[in-house]
Amino acid sequence: MTRVGIVGVGAVGARLARQLVSTEVEQVLIRDESRNRAELVARSLGDTAMVDRGEMTDPLDVDVVVLAGPGRLQATHAAVFVRNGQHVVSTSDDIDDVRALLALDHEARERGVHLVVGAGFAPGLTCVLAAHGAARFDHVDEIHVAKSGTGGPACARQHHRAVGRGALDWRDGGWEHRPGGSGRELCWFPDPIGAQDCYRAALPDALVLVPAFPGIRRVTARVSATRRDRLTARLPMLWPTHPEGGPGAVRVELRGVRGASRDVVVFGAMDRPAVAAGAVAAVAVGFAVDGMLRRPGAAGLAELVEPVPFLTELARRGVRAAIFEGDVAPSTSGGLGAS
Amino acid sequence: MKMIRRALVAIGMAGLVAAALRLRGVGGTPPQSGGWRELSGPELG
């Protein structure tokens, strides 16, 4: 009997809960800072879902805990559950949080538990697409990730913070700090998102991708933003967040060597970010329960999963990946240019 | 007083130029040719 706990049922957590009750999970325990919200979600899911009335870091009697609450708190919560010997799946996309989650690797390995870091739209689906694309190369030199759109209000606030903070790129074997909101690139996402101006931001994608691709030269991540987003990024949010973000997309560009020549492959996916993130987290839970993760410890999905079965299961749940076919233009930054 | 006024004008001008540069940005590559195709079963394998 598989029991899964969800800590935080905002836009992503609620979608995740729905994904879990529609599959083979016997019980879903829901915990949220807002008791009303937890009860509302549990009621909408039927008998399989129950509200847990404990504090956010109280022990949960489950096999896997999914952290789907505010990004900046997930490392603190994960440490507690890892110490309890429970598998943890984190959906955090906060750069500091992801760094702290990855730092739990040693402890998670010692206890023989899985800590999946960044099981969302980006990082998450982007990591799986990168791993999938890497199979087409003899050696991957560069990975450039871009994402567009936000899930719920917490995701929108995280996007606002990220554009105003410093970005972290991997370049020639070292970390490079760049200003958030800089480095505009026109990125071509799957329809109907199309072309979007994307900028550097405090995104954790490079942190989870670099360990999965030893010897890689460059890893960058950008997020789509408007000029208003860039101008106001360092101010408090001046307008209310939408309860449910619109459609979003991700794009993963890989550059490397195949045979005697260099090549570029671009993968992408379009969906509502909260829906896709919920599906990715649900599939990650399934992989953890079924023992399909490659190793215990803290790591991103590029390191932990076989991409083909993961993408196949995602497609079964309605989240479909796409490949760009056509000319990939050289870009001003040497990587992320539109296709 | 005159110096303070000049300093404030200079700071204001610098701010305007910085804001204009930040709003305008640089770079950007127009799309070339081609399109997206959904991955199907055999391609995933």
Side-chain angles (χ1 to χ4, degrees), chain A residues 6 9 13-15 17-18 21 27-32 34-53:
Chain A
I6 302 177
V9 279
R15 264 41 185 273
R18 188 163 296 281
V21 297
Q27 190 162 54
V28 176
L29 282 180
I30 291 171
R31 179 184 285 178
D32 195 280
S34 162
R35 190 74 49 83
N36 287 345
R37 187 164 53 198
E39 279 169 1
L40 206 66
V41 171
R43 268 204 302 275
S44 74
L45 296 175
D47 296 338
T48 311
M50 286 176 62
V51 175
D52 179 89
R53 296 176 195 284

Side-chain angles (χ1 to χ4, degrees), chain A residues 203-234:
Chain A
L203 303 169
D205 299 68
L207 288 173
V208 286
L209 284 172
V210 169
F213 298 93
I216 195 159
R217 276 199 319 109
R218 290 194 67 192
V219 182
T220 66
R222 280 173 168 77
V223 65
S224 73
T226 62
R227 291 175 174 182
R228 185 183 69 174
D229 291 336
R230 292 173 67 210
L231 191 67
T232 61
R234 286 164 181 86

Side-chain angles (χ1 to χ4, degrees), chain A residues 186 227 230 308 321 323 325, chain B residues 22-23 29 34-35 37 39 44:
Chain A
L186 186 65
R227 291 175 174 182
R230 292 173 67 210
V308 171
I323 185 167
E325 289 182 331
Chain B
R22 184 163 176 77
L23 278 177
T29 312
R37 186 177 49 77
L39 290 179
L44 284 174

Side-chain angles (χ1 to χ4, degrees), chain A residues 275-287:
Chain A
V275 174
V280 170
V283 177
V285 167
F287 271 51

Side-chain angles (χ1 to χ4, degrees), chain A residues 178-272:
Chain A
R178 308 299 294 269
S182 66
R184 186 176 80 175
E185 289 281 352
L186 186 65
C187 295
W188 200 253
F189 291 95
D191 298 328
I193 304 299
Q196 298 281 321
D197 274 333
C198 293
Y199 303 88
R200 293 191 189 97
L203 303 169
D205 299 68
L207 288 173
V208 286
L209 284 172
V210 169
F213 298 93
I216 195 159
R217 276 199 319 109
R218 290 194 67 192
V219 182
T220 66
R222 280 173 168 77
V223 65
S224 73
T226 62
R227 291 175 174 182
R228 185 183 69 174
D229 291 336
R230 292 173 67 210
L231 191 67
T232 61
R234 286 164 181 86
L235 304 173
M237 283 193 86
L238 302 175
W239 51 90
T241 55
H242 197 278
E244 174 61 71
V250 292
R251 181 182 187 282
V252 181
E253 178 178 320
L254 296 101
R255 293 176 177 250
V257 179
R258 177 164 41 187
S261 61
R262 303 191 62 76
D263 203 1
V264 183
V265 174
V266 184
F267 287 103
M270 193 289 294
D271 212 316
R272 286 180 179 273

Side-chain angles (χ1 to χ4, degrees), chain B residues 32-44:
Chain B
Q32 306 292 300
S33 62
W36 291 93
R37 186 177 49 77
E38 217 168 75
L39 290 179
S40 53
E43 282 169 309
L44 284 174

Side-chain angles (χ1 to χ4, degrees), chain A residues 304-336:
Chain A
L304 291 178
V305 302
E306 277 295 330
V308 171
F310 200 98
L311 290 172
T312 305
E313 178 58 21
L314 268 183
R316 201 180 65 79
R317 291 166 186 255
V319 180
R320 296 177 195 285
I323 185 167
F324 185 85
E325 289 182 331
D327 295 335
V328 180
S331 73
T332 51
S333 71
L336 196 67

Side-chain angles (χ1 to χ4, degrees), chain A residues 87-143:
Chain A
H87 303 305
V88 176
V89 174
S90 161
T91 61
S92 179
D93 60 354
D94 179 273
I95 194 166
D96 296 329
D97 210 33
V98 165
R99 195 181 278 120
L101 285 160
L102 291 170
L104 294 170
D105 182 46
H106 182 67
E107 188 165 0
R109 281 183 195 239
E110 272 190 342
R111 293 173 192 274
V113 298
H114 298 292
L115 171 49
V116 182
V117 181
F121 201 28
L125 178 53
T126 51
C127 298
V128 183
L129 291 174
H132 185 54
R136 296 176 175 234
F137 292 91
D138 297 328
H139 183 260
V140 179
D141 286 331
E142 303 183 17
I143 301 175

